[in-house]
Amino acid sequence: MPSYNHLEIEPKWQKEWETNKAGEAVESDADAVYHLIMFPYPSGAGLHVGHVESYTAMDILSRKARMQGKNVLFPIGYDAFGLPAENYAVKTGVHPADTTKKTMETFRRQMKAVGLSFDWSREIATCDPAYYRWTQWLFLLFYKNDLAYRAKAPVNWCDGCNTVLANEQVVDGACERCKTTVVQKDLEQWFFRITKYADRLLAGIDAVDWPERIKSMQRHWIGRSDGVEVEFRGLRAEMTGEKGTERVHEAEFSIPVFTTRVDTLFGVSYIVLAPEHPLVDVLTTEENRDAVVAYRDQARKKSELERTQLEKDKSGVFIGTYAKHPLTGEDIPIWISDYVLVNYGTGAVMGVPAHDERDFIFAQKYAQGVNEVVAPPAGMEHDFAAEAYTDDGILVNSGEFDGMTSTEAKNAIATAIESAGKGKRVVNYHLRDWLVSRQRYWGAPIPIVWCEACGAQPVEPKDLPVLLPRDVDFMPTGRSPLVDSVSFHDVSCPKCGAGARRESDTMDTFVDSSWYYLRYTDPHNDDVLAEPERIRRWCPVDLYLGGAEHAVLHLLYSRFFAYALHDLGYVDFEEPFLKLRNQGLILGPDGEKMSKSLGNVVNPDEVIEQYGADTIRLYEMFMGPLEDAKPWDTSGIVGIRRFLDKVWMTRERVGDAKDAELTCLVQKTIKKISDDIEALKFNTAISQLMICANALHEREVVPRGAYETFVTLLAPFAPHLAEEIWHDLGHAESAFAQSWPEYDAELAKDALVAIAVQVNGRLRATIELSPDLPEKDVRDRALATENVEKFTDGKEIAKVIFIQGRLINIVVK
RNA sequence: GCCGCGGUGGCGGAACUGGUAUACGCGCGGGACUCAAAAUCCCGUGCCUGCAAGGGCUUGAGGGUUCGAUUCCCUCCCGCGGCACCA
């Protein structure tokens, strides 16, 4: 059997590399590069083939970089806090710390079996007190700098997970993790003031080398919109005095509405408040109160999902009060409707049926006037009775602003509003502050103590970490065990010393992962989060590889952390990840997403057992472009193993031989592999390795130099086999002690190339010629070719296009 | 609806800056070795036509620019991912 024994050689070299600390980074500035993969959540399912894909890609990059003399930081750790381990504890009673320890061991074993050259000396786990002490320290830093605060707000509550969630963790109105429909609750919670950075986070996106998809998702999520807050004022009846002797007064009120289309201000026919708007109670007249209360109760019962998905159906109630138009003084009726969201803008909008689709639908239902104030440009027809005209145009029916374009009018009306003191230009964001507290156990405790007398008191940094108590009860009540742990929450106030209660909420696990890349630079430091010198040395991250599912979660939060730490003087950069790439999903052999229930999950352990680590590495890199989704194909693996066996067998025929053609091919291979690895085009790199291997294999005697160069090029991809062959060839040192081959353009030059000969752009022949042959000679040779003569004979040559070394095109009439 | 990405053989996929479309791998067909099979090795393999040389067609559809278009432009169709009552 002409095959190598992967079961023997792979563990052998893995052990050797471990002993030699082959992947460890050196603390030196020279040629320092930081390669980061998104650290895994150590799930019970073990390592997924998707992990293998991105880790292998980065391993190839890192191994090559080291061979080029670079000092590479390629660390690994575990995003180890989180809900699944806690839910498992509720179900089985096994402590999350034990579950997590076990799953981390499994991940570690599996990653080592893939032959990944991580710097294992820097391994971290977010659930380690030595780690989360700094997560807590960061919380305190933010707290002291007004970036962490507690507030009562309408928040997302998941009944399945029994905790609040950040906006980013609500997908289609449901919990991202357990799919339970999220309900709104008014609760006091901890927030990070990410909105303070909205503008800079938006601007910073332009500067980073990230996939356009992710960048546009972040821009969209931050959602900046520039507009005007316009005040609609009015008078309402107010009762004062003792019961029985009340008197009615006229009191002034003001409703600010936010609009991006202030050019349509003269088209307002009504105002709509969100049902939850605080002014609703105040402004509703007695005769309308019953209807308003009924509507509001009904709206409250609707989930966010229902309110946002029944887009076409608009409903509302008139509340009985009118406000004055700020420029015309006209009376404008005030309505409530659940198509207006309380937590965006001012929670109130102006209804302009002629120029807004939603307002148009609403106006039709409730017989509000459609006032055309923006006319379509000349030559364009629009039927205002049929639908709203939402594009820009020329102003009409707008007093002194008539004749202006929408753009001019936006500016002019905004100025008029401002100088009349009836509003101001404002910027609104979709981005909300980040809700970070969770009513769960398995996370980093929020380092705050509640004192009757002093209120919320931060824990002293010297008292960190606030340890998660191990000895707690996991009850299926849904309540965090921390709430009932007396030893945990009975403390004294850090300020006055009186009896106090520890905050029992923990932090969102996304807080843990927002700064882990900093810790890798100095993972064992007990005095500081990381030495500034080391952060400066390695950060920001040069290349970051991971899944696209974190587009607005981890990647946005981490950017916020970096900006905040920059402003507080802890880091000298703003953007943490200069270049980002996403690996595509690996689908099951059936083309579906791998899942337990479909039974199409491929276990890397089994592939490694049967074919070897080098085979799974090569196979996953060869499947297709890194960023594409691609189905697993078991028969494709066989082809990779055949290729590796071929390389192995070729070694037996190595000897002394001169072979100019092979030299040329090897040079081209050096060029192609080097370029392709940098461009993350591993599939085409491997294709070139195959072409080269096939050529080597064909030779009776394989020139030693060519073969050794080939093995060096193969090494980052198939490190075990390359190392085995390298030693088998008589070398004492590691294959990775080699420097990366240098490309020599002179040697790569072909003696002969196939020139395409076209007549009128159609291929009629190919001729073998020296690539340097001048046009005249190529032309003569081409015209003398039999099949070309056939198409040119008796015709006039109008033109000849010549591309040196590639083609000649004869244009005839 | 809006934003982003894509559509190439039987399959996964290649193709520099507009320059020989289908590299590489799988699969399939044929052959060698073998008592036989597996493994391995060699040859072939886009479609139509032809004994062959060759010819015609072909990168989702249609049009355009060009000596030449998978690549650039216009119109349209389909698929995937994201966002979506944000005023």
Side-chain angles (χ1 to χ4, degrees), chain A residues 402-461:
Chain A
D402 280 359
M404 289 185 183
T405 64
S406 288
T407 312
E408 291 161 356
K410 275 180 192 167
N411 198 29
I413 296 177
T415 303
I417 288 287
E418 282 183 336
S419 53
K422 288 179 177 168
K424 54 181 192 281
R425 289 174 167 91
V426 293
V427 178
N428 263 308
Y429 295 94
H430 171 264
L431 184 70
R432 295 275 95 88
D433 274 339
W434 175 12
L435 198 175
V436 295
S437 42
R438 297 288 179 274
Q439 291 71 51
R440 304 299 317 188
Y441 167 76
W442 193 232
I446 292 175
I448 292 287
V449 168
W450 292 96
C451 171
E452 287 272 340
C454 316
Q457 286 302 314
V459 171
E460 291 291 321

Side-chain angles (χ1 to χ4, degrees), chain A residues 230-233 253-257 268-274 277 283 317-319 321-326 330-337 339-340 346-352 359 362 368:
Chain A
V230 181
E231 286 184 39
F232 285 76
R233 294 178 192 156
F253 67 87
S254 166
I255 302 172
V257 305
V268 173
S269 38
Y270 59 95
I271 285 169
V272 198
L273 304 180
H277 197 288
L283 298 183
V317 179
F318 176 49
I319 68 171
T321 305
Y322 294 81
K324 296 259 185 248
H325 189 286
E330 222 178 319
D331 277 331
I332 310 287
I334 304 169
W335 288 64
I336 60 170
S337 171
Y339 84 86
V340 176
T346 61
V349 303
M350 58 185 210
V352 186
D359 297 345
F362 188 84
Q368 300 298 307

Side-chain angles (χ1 to χ4, degrees), chain A residues 586-690:
Chain A
I586 295 186
L587 307 169
D590 52 1
E592 299 294 323
K593 190 172 169 175
M594 285 190 191
S595 78
K596 244 187 205 163
S597 57
L598 285 173
N600 60 355
V601 178
V602 175
N603 180 351
D605 280 345
E606 287 168 18
V607 183
I608 291 170
E609 166 80 19
Q610 193 178 350
Y611 297 99
D614 286 335
T615 304
I616 195 173
R617 289 170 61 107
L618 268 279
Y619 173 64
E620 291 204 20
M621 293 299 100
F622 188 60
M623 289 172 85
L626 185 68
E627 308 214 21
D628 288 7
K630 25 196 188 286
W632 188 271
D633 173 16
T634 305
S635 63
I637 300 170
V638 176
I640 294 292
R641 180 58 202 235
R642 265 181 217 155
F643 158 68
L644 292 175
D645 279 331
K646 188 185 287 182
V647 171
W648 172 247
M649 294 314 293
T650 303
R651 141 199 136 277
E652 291 178 349
R653 285 179 285 112
V654 166
D656 286 331
K658 283 226 158 72
D659 193 325
E661 202 183 317
L662 208 49
T663 304
C664 175
L665 176 64
V666 168
Q667 285 301 321
K668 283 181 178 160
T669 304
I670 293 173
K671 170 90 173 123
K672 176 108 179 113
I673 304 293
S674 304
D675 292 351
D676 280 359
I677 290 177
E678 289 314 306
L680 275 57
K681 289 164 70 176
F682 303 105
N683 54 332
T684 51
I686 292 168
S687 139
Q688 183 65 31
L689 284 171
M690 287 170 167

Side-chain angles (χ1 to χ4, degrees), chain A residues 182-441:
Chain A
V182 165
V183 294
Q184 300 290 310
K185 286 193 177 181
D186 275 328
L187 292 173
E188 202 176 286
Q189 295 291 328
W190 288 100
F191 292 87
F192 281 169
R193 208 178 294 284
I194 190 171
T195 52
K196 182 179 170 188
Y197 289 90
D199 251 336
R200 285 166 67 194
L201 288 169
L202 189 63
I205 295 172
D206 296 334
V208 292
D209 177 8
W210 286 18
E212 201 44 53
R213 185 171 38 123
I214 303 285
K215 300 211 304 188
S216 90
M217 279 167 77
Q218 288 215 356
R219 286 192 192 104
H220 200 100
W221 188 262
I222 294 168
R224 178 186 164 117
S225 58
D226 291 77
V228 179
E229 222 172 82
V230 181
E231 286 184 39
F232 285 76
R233 294 178 192 156
L235 296 172
R236 63 180 176 91
E238 189 187 46
M239 308 285 257
T240 54
E242 292 297 309
K243 199 168 183 177
T245 61
E246 308 102 317
R247 291 164 65 188
V248 180
H249 290 271
E250 295 263 275
E252 191 174 54
F253 67 87
S254 166
I255 302 172
V257 305
F258 175 71
T259 179
T260 55
R261 287 300 304 274
V262 78
D263 55 318
T264 65
L265 185 59
F266 285 78
V268 173
S269 38
Y270 59 95
I271 285 169
V272 198
L273 304 180
E276 305 88 345
H277 197 288
L279 279 176
V280 173
D281 266 337
V282 180
L283 298 183
T284 301
T285 57
E286 281 315 310
E287 59 266 33
N288 292 285
R289 191 160 297 275
D290 289 350
V292 166
V293 168
Y295 183 83
R296 195 168 49 183
D297 286 350
Q298 183 202 325
R300 189 178 300 146
K301 279 195 210 110
K302 282 197 213 169
S303 67
E304 182 88 351
L305 197 66
E306 288 168 313
R307 277 179 67 165
T308 55
Q309 284 199 339
L310 303 168
E311 283 173 37
K312 295 292 164 201
D313 188 37
K314 306 273 181 279
S315 63
V317 179
F318 176 49
I319 68 171
T321 305
Y322 294 81
K324 296 259 185 248
H325 189 286
L327 296 184
T328 67
E330 222 178 319
D331 277 331
I332 310 287
I334 304 169
W335 288 64
I336 60 170
S337 171
D338 62 7
Y339 84 86
V340 176
L341 308 173
V342 72
N343 51 8
Y344 185 76
T346 61
V349 303
M350 58 185 210
V352 186
H355 302 290
D356 183 281
E357 283 173 39
R358 296 153 301 183
D359 297 345
F360 185 84
I361 293 164
F362 188 84
Q364 294 237 302
K365 187 161 173 183
Y366 297 107
Q368 300 298 307
V370 177
N371 313 323
E372 179 191 342
V373 292
V374 176
M380 233 190 90
E381 295 289 312
H382 185 82
D383 181 5
F384 280 88
E387 57 177 345
Y389 176 75
T390 57
D391 288 339
D392 284 359
I394 307 296
L395 266 74
V396 293
N397 305 322
S398 299
E400 57 182 296
F401 305 101
D402 280 359
M404 289 185 183
T405 64
S406 288
T407 312
E408 291 161 356
K410 275 180 192 167
N411 198 29
I413 296 177
T415 303
I417 288 287
E418 282 183 336
S419 53
K422 288 179 177 168
K424 54 181 192 281
R425 289 174 167 91
V426 293
V427 178
N428 263 308
Y429 295 94
H430 171 264
L431 184 70
R432 295 275 95 88
D433 274 339
W434 175 12
L435 198 175
V436 295
S437 42
R438 297 288 179 274
Q439 291 71 51
R440 304 299 317 188
Y441 167 76

